[in-house]
């Protein structure tokens, strides 16, 4: 019997293929049901003009009941955007990825939220505790208890 | 009028509050009995009895009794507002069980308060009776025969759709998985609608319908835990597997209260803990914040101080190895018969008459230190002086108990051989219980002395400490004396008298320190943060 994860991801994939993806978002890799990569560009006149980032989605077995682990890829090919809510290791402090996660959200809606988070950025800088956090961060950002002080994301 | 509608929606509720988990009660029973024997008799400052100046009033509550108290609050508010108990409970939860504030704000504008607490408001919502029937019978939310759930992406028969009063409709399986995950994985009892940004609460009737019995029991536990967490006057017993709660109706562990009071309490299973910081021991007379500093310091300095904890030392005279096997500090070397004090290693003869040498640190040595190296050495020695005595009482309390365990068997035999009744041979048990209690006090007085600025009060403090310590060592020594049928009556009266005396010395110590906390007479030699 197909699990909720399989059914749901297959549906999301089907919808992306039939309806297409929102502007600035493309699939880099989505060929299995454990990890997807999507690229995100912030279009128009923003601080991230001309930059392209890659989001990694890792799905728990009971996705979408439980939230996916979402990070910006930070390796020799990709870098994480410089943003007050993004750590240099790619971890993102956004409440929809934590306590505000809702099972009605999807891969595309998360991409859109993060795209608009970047678009509305007014000052390119790392979180103030970046170095301290990155040196002690767990591999999975879901094991971090972020403190959400900004209501906009 | 929607109050009725709300009532309808949540009306399944009332019986929930009498819930008890029979399985769990059974499991714990065995453990309790085993543990109980290990704990000292205590004289709790139970409600109704006027507490001594150094005690707080408290009551130990069984889980059922706690539920009863929660229900009383709930029913009180439900009565005032004229709503169903579950509405009242959710409102109280939202207001962190601050009844007064809730009542005030509800009277001001019930709609706003209800919405903020994630409860259905008065207008613009689907009919509640309809929702209720959905919850109860899982009738379809829509008229269509089949229903496509946006979460699990599956098409299902219409009757599996379930909608909350907000109108958000998903399949029963998704609701079940979601609620179960919130309760089991996140320990969350306030589960809200699955729709993004929707704050409507899942009613308890749904929990009951959808959850398996294990998860539902967990949900009930979480409700109680939330109540205890929100209420300053309630704390769970921190001992593993203990299900009791302690309530202090007249004491709130605020930072200012904890700067002058050490709220030691005992749960009904005999577990002693601090109501302020959760330490699983009585740390009187030292306040929580300083206890925390001291424990951290000890952990940091453990390498340096480890040798002191060791059970063996060398006789200062003939250098043969001596093992400590009782709590008493009066050591006699088996080989050369030299008598000395285990703590300071000085000859015992000096202690009999002038014990002061052993509890008071000579600050002069520290003052004399000229260069940085000897100053740091002096500061280490000062710490070791106090740590040594602190650790020694901790260890001795354990050894006193071990010794008693050996004695106990002998006492039983003797009871059979002599005229004494079982009650009459309990004197040694009472002595050892008191001894352990007093050693715990002494232990913390050494940590306290380490942080106290020297003044007239500390001289008195150290005098009390010395008197208590001397009495304790005397009793400890008496406990080591051989028990013979011929002398047991004499030993009994001696030990009983000394136990009473030791208890009195302990009360003097606790009373004096408590009094001076109230007077603000204790000056710390470091800055002490709020707890
Ligand atoms: Zn579903
Ligand atoms: Zn909703
Ligand atoms: Zn307990
Ligand atoms: Zn404490």
């Amino acid at each position: 019997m197909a699990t909720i994860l399989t059914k749901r991801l297959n549906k999301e994939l089907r919808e992306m293929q039939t309806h297409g993806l929102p502007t600035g978002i493309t699939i880099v890799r989505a060929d299995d049901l454990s990890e997807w990569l999507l690229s995100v560009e912030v279009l128009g006149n923003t601080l991230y003009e001309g930059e392209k980032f890659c989001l990694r989605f890792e799905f728990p077995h009971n996705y979408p009941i439980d939230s996916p682990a979402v990070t910006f890829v930070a390796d020799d090919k990709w870098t994480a955007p410089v943003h007050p809510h993004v750590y240099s290791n790619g971890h993102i402090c956004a409440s929809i990825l934590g306590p505000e996660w809702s099972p009605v959200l999807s891969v595309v809606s998360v991409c859109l939220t993060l795209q608009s988070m970047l678009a509305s950025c007014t000052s390119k800088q790392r979180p103030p505790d970046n170095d301290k956090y990155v040196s002690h961060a767990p591999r999975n950002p879901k094991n971090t208890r972020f403190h959400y002080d900004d209501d906009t994301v | 009028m929607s109050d009725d509608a709300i009532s309808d929606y949540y009306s399944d509720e009332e019986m929930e509050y009498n819930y008890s988990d029979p399985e769990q009660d059974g499991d714990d029973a065995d453990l309790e009995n085993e543990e109980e024997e290990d704990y000292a008799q205590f004289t709790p400052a139970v409600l109704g009895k006027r507490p001594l100046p150094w005690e707080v009033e408290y009551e130990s509550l069984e889980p059922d009794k706690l539920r009863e108290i929660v229900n009383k609050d709930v029913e009180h508010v439900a009565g005032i507002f004229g709503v169903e108990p579950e509405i009242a409970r959710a409102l109280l939860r939202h207001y962190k069980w601050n009844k007064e504030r809730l009542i005030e704000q509800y009277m001001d504008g019930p709609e706003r308060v209800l919405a903020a607490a994630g409860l259905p408001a008065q207008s613009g919502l689907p009919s509640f009776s309809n929702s209720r029937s959905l919850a109860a019978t899982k009738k379809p939310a829509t008229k269509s025969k089949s229903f496509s759930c946006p979460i699990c992406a599956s098409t299902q028969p219409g009757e599996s759709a379930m909608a909350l009063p907000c109108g958000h409709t998903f399949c029963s399986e998704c609701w079940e998985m979601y609620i179960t995950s919130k309760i089991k994985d996140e320990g969350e009892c306030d589960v809200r609608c699955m729709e993004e940004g929707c704050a409507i609460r899942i009613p308890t009737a749904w929990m009951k319908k959808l959850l398996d019995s294990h998860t539902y029991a967990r949900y009930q536990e979480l409700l109680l835990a939330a109540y205890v967490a929100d209420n300053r006057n309630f704390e769970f017993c921190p001992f593993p597997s203990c299900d009791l709660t302690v309530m202090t109706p007249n004491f709130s562990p605020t930072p200012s209260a904890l700067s002058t009071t050490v709220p030691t309490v005992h749960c009904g299973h005999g577990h002693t803990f601090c109501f302020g910081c959760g330490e699983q021991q009585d740390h009187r007379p030292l306040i929580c914040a300083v206890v925390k500093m001291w424990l951290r310091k000890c952990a940091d300095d453990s390498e340096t101080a480890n040798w002191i904890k060791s059970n063996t030392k060398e006789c200062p005279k003939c250098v043969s190895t001596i093992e400590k096997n009782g709590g008493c500090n009066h050591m006699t070397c088996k080989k050369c018969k030299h008598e000395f004090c285990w703590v300071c290693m000085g000859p015992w003869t000096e202690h009999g008459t002038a014990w002061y040498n052993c509890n008071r640190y000579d600050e002069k040595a520290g003052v004399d230190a000229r260069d940085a190296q000897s100053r740091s050495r002096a500061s280490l020695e000062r710490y070791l002086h106090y740590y040594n005595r602190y650790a020694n009482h901790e260890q001795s309390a354990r050894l006193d108990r071990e010794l008693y365990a050996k004695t106990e068997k002998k006492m039983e035999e003797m009871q059979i051989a002599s005229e004494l009744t079982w009650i009459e041979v309990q004197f040694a048990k009472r002595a050892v219980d008191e001894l352990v209690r007093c050693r715990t006090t002494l232990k913390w007085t050494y940590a306290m002395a380490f942080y106290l600025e020297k003044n007239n009060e500390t001289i008195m403090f150290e005098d009390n400490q010395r008197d208590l310590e001397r009495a304790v060592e005397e009793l400890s020594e008496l406990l080591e004396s051989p028990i013979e049928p011929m002398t047991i009556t004499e030993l009994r009266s001696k030990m009983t008298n000394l136990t009473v005396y030791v208890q009195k010395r302990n009360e003097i110590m606790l009373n004096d320190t408590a009094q001076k906390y109230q007077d603000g007479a204790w000056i710390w030699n470091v800055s002490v943060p709020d707890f």
Side-chain angles (χ1 to χ4, degrees):
Chain A
M1 199 192 95
T3 64
I4 181 166
L5 169 75
T6 328
K7 275 193 277 186
R8 171 66 180 256
L9 283 184
N10 280 330
K11 184 187 165 208
E12 287 193 38
L13 206 55
R14 229 170 23 245
E15 274 179 9
M16 287 185 210
Q17 281 153 356
T18 48
H19 303 300
L21 283 149
T23 331
I25 293 166
T26 51
I27 295 176
V28 176
R29 198 181 76 215
D31 47 14
D32 66 30
L33 297 178
S34 63
E35 182 187 292
W36 287 6
L37 299 176
L38 286 98
S39 71
V40 176
E41 275 174 286
V42 193
L43 301 159
N45 186 18
T46 75
L47 295 177
Y48 303 94
E49 214 175 332
E51 293 181 69
K52 199 171 181 179
F53 308 104
C54 182
L55 281 169
R56 173 187 287 120
F57 285 75
E58 287 169 275
F59 303 103
H61 69 94
N62 60 344
Y63 173 84
I65 297 299
D66 204 357
S67 62
V70 185
T71 50
F72 279 106
V73 178
D75 55 17
D76 28 319
K77 192 163 169 239
W78 299 95
T79 54
V82 178
H83 183 279
H85 290 186
V86 181
Y87 291 94
S88 53
N89 64 354
H91 287 193
I92 307 161
C93 173
S95 56
I96 62 148
L97 301 176
E100 312 269 281
W101 169 257
S102 155
V104 300
L105 293 170
S106 62
V107 170
V108 168
S109 66
V110 168
C111 288
L112 284 171
T113 304
L114 295 176
Q115 189 185 43
S116 80
M117 176 185 93
L118 295 179
S120 62
C121 180
T122 52
S123 153
K124 263 182 146 180
Q125 50 186 340
R126 290 279 181 223
D129 61 336
N130 185 67
D131 293 352
K132 200 173 145 222
Y133 174 75
V134 171
S135 61
H136 294 100
R139 200 202 71 81
N140 186 336
K142 286 178 72 182
N143 295 326
T144 301
R145 282 207 171 264
F146 288 113
H147 175 69
Y148 306 95
D149 40 14
D150 187 342
D151 297 341
T152 57
V153 287
Chain B
M1 174 54 201
S2 81
D3 265 3
D4 291 332
I6 294 169
S7 304
D8 249 330
Y9 180 58
Y10 287 100
S11 65
D12 252 2
E13 186 34 35
E14 268 144 318
M15 58 182 296
E16 303 301 319
Y17 293 98
N18 295 322
Y19 177 85
S20 99
D21 186 0
E23 218 175 285
Q24 206 178 15
D25 292 344
D27 277 344
D28 282 348
D30 292 343
L31 260 168
E32 283 158 27
N33 291 340
E34 255 171 55
E35 282 173 4
E36 223 159 354
E37 286 171 15
D38 285 333
Y39 287 92
Q41 287 294 307
F42 52 88
T43 44
V46 281
L47 286 177
K49 188 186 137 208
R50 227 175 76 102
L52 295 162
W54 60 89
E55 292 177 329
V56 294
E57 270 187 297
Y58 64 88
E59 192 181 348
S60 171
L61 307 168
E62 297 283 339
D64 280 346
K65 178 75 186 161
L66 177 62
R67 266 176 215 119
E68 214 177 276
I69 290 171
V70 179
N71 292 349
K72 242 171 123 183
D73 270 358
V74 166
E75 272 152 28
H76 181 216
V77 168
I80 296 175
F81 296 172
V83 297
E84 283 299 317
E86 182 171 357
I87 301 284
R89 191 190 56 77
L91 289 171
L92 278 162
R93 269 292 287 136
H94 190 70
Y95 279 82
K96 300 231 171 261
W97 298 89
N98 187 333
K99 236 196 280 186
E100 289 70 33
R101 209 162 64 88
L102 164 63
I103 292 171
E104 194 189 304
Q105 298 197 2
Y106 191 87
M107 294 308 176
D108 260 13
E111 295 86 357
R112 217 189 42 228
V113 170
L114 283 167
L119 294 164
Q122 302 209 349
S123 57
L125 291 175
S127 147
F128 282 102
S129 46
N130 182 31
S131 299
R132 183 173 168 266
S133 72
L134 281 174
T137 65
K138 295 190 184 175
K139 273 185 194 156
T142 52
K143 297 267 185 277
S144 63
K145 287 245 157 55
S146 74
F147 159 76
S148 172
C149 174
I151 288 176
C152 60
S154 63
T155 306
Q156 303 201 14
E159 60 263 26
S160 84
M162 288 176 74
L164 280 174
C166 50
H168 297 131
T169 310
F170 305 103
C171 80
S172 60
E173 270 172 54
C174 282
W175 281 116
E176 184 205 319
M177 275 191 283
Y178 184 70
I179 299 167
T180 302
S181 152
K182 283 281 172 192
I183 290 171
K184 281 190 143 164
D185 304 341
E186 293 173 39
E188 181 60 71
C189 61
D190 284 325
V191 189
R192 313 230 173 187
C193 178
M194 284 196 282
E195 181 61 44
E196 193 198 357
C198 182
I200 291 295
R201 269 171 208 260
I202 315 272
T204 302
W206 277 34
M207 309 278 187
K208 217 178 165 193
K209 285 256 144 36
L210 294 171
L211 301 178
D212 62 57
S213 64
H214 190 265
T215 312
Y216 187 71
R218 178 83 188 116
Y219 168 68
Q220 294 285 342
E221 270 174 36
L222 289 170
L223 285 180
L224 282 187
Y227 180 84
V228 170
D230 286 346
N231 270 275
R232 289 196 134 156
N233 305 79
F234 290 79
E235 249 1 294
F236 284 120
C237 172
F239 279 71
S241 87
C242 185
D243 61 351
L244 300 185
T245 308
V246 170
M247 165 178 77
T248 57
N250 305 314
F251 177 81
S252 295
T254 59
S256 92
L258 291 177
S259 71
T260 58
T261 311
V262 183
T264 302
V265 297
H266 311 273
C267 84
H269 295 157
H271 304 140
T272 302
F273 67 97
C274 173
F275 198 83
C277 67
E279 259 299 301
Q280 296 177 14
Q281 58 173 316
D282 178 358
H283 64 66
R284 287 175 300 190
L286 191 56
I287 53 168
C288 300
V290 186
V291 164
K292 204 170 136 199
M293 284 167 73
W294 172 256
L295 291 176
R296 198 181 303 126
K297 180 166 180 62
C298 293
D300 291 349
D301 290 353
S302 60
E303 294 289 314
T304 338
N306 254 350
W307 59 273
I308 294 157
K309 277 188 177 166
S310 127
N311 259 332
T312 58
K313 282 186 187 174
E314 287 173 344
C315 167
K317 212 167 173 190
C318 72
V319 210
S320 59
T321 303
I322 290 174
E323 197 179 331
K324 199 170 191 285
N325 53 15
C328 175
N329 288 326
H330 181 179
M331 306 304 293
T332 307
C333 174
K334 275 208 175 96
K335 215 169 155 198
C336 72
K337 305 288 177 228
H338 174 61
E339 294 181 55
F340 64 99
C341 166
W342 177 261
V343 180
C344 71
M345 303 299 277
W348 187 257
T349 44
E350 289 174 16
H351 288 73
T353 50
W355 179 267
Y356 68 90
N357 244 351
C358 205
N359 76 322
R360 195 166 295 178
Y361 178 70
D362 183 7
E363 296 278 354
K364 238 182 124 256
V367 176
D368 286 347
R370 253 166 268 143
D371 53 74
Q373 202 186 350
S374 57
R375 258 202 309 279
S376 98
R377 209 190 131 66
S379 118
L380 177 64
E381 270 174 14
R382 182 177 179 278
Y383 165 66
L384 287 179
H385 170 91
Y386 292 109
Y387 179 77
N388 195 348
R389 283 148 184 82
Y390 165 90
N392 179 64
H393 280 298
E394 188 168 72
Q395 185 195 26
S396 295
R398 203 176 55 244
L399 295 173
D400 283 336
R401 262 203 206 293
E402 282 171 21
L403 182 73
Y404 173 72
K406 281 180 220 152
T407 318
E408 195 173 26
K409 217 176 150 49
K410 209 173 158 191
M411 302 286 282
E412 274 167 29
E413 290 164 16
M414 202 169 320
Q415 190 220 325
I416 296 161
S418 72
E419 300 288 291
L420 295 169
T421 64
W422 183 82
I423 299 284
E424 283 169 317
V425 296
Q426 292 303 298
F427 66 91
K429 173 152 177 57
R430 274 195 301 276
V432 85
D433 288 343
E434 194 57 46
L435 205 52
V436 168
R437 198 161 27 232
C438 293
R439 284 200 188 278
T440 310
T441 305
L442 278 171
K443 179 176 108 172
W444 290 109
T445 60
Y446 280 112
M448 185 160 169
F450 179 74
Y451 289 110
L452 279 180
E453 196 74 69
K454 297 267 168 193
N455 59 21
N456 285 342
E457 309 298 352
T458 56
I459 294 173
M460 167 101 149
F461 173 84
E462 285 178 335
D463 286 348
N464 284 335
Q465 185 186 43
R466 179 202 57 210
D467 291 346
L468 175 60
E469 190 158 60
R470 201 187 310 187
V472 157
E473 294 305 341
E474 207 180 316
L475 182 57
S476 184
E477 191 159 10
L478 198 58
L479 210 65
E480 284 183 15
S481 54
I483 298 174
E484 305 297 343
M486 299 297 285
T487 55
I488 188 160
T489 319
E490 194 195 332
L491 182 66
R492 176 168 164 255
S493 90
K494 227 172 149 184
M495 204 180 275
T496 307
N497 289 341
L498 201 48
T499 305
V500 171
Y501 178 70
V502 161
Q503 184 183 349
K504 219 181 96 204
R505 295 293 347 160
N506 193 31
E507 287 181 3
I508 289 168
M509 185 84 221
L510 294 177
N511 191 36
D512 179 66
T513 42
Q515 190 57 53
K516 281 169 188 162
Y517 275 122
Q518 296 304 324
D519 302 344
W522 300 124
I523 317 286
W524 306 110
N525 57 21
V526 284
S527 85
V528 173
D530 273 352
F531 188 80

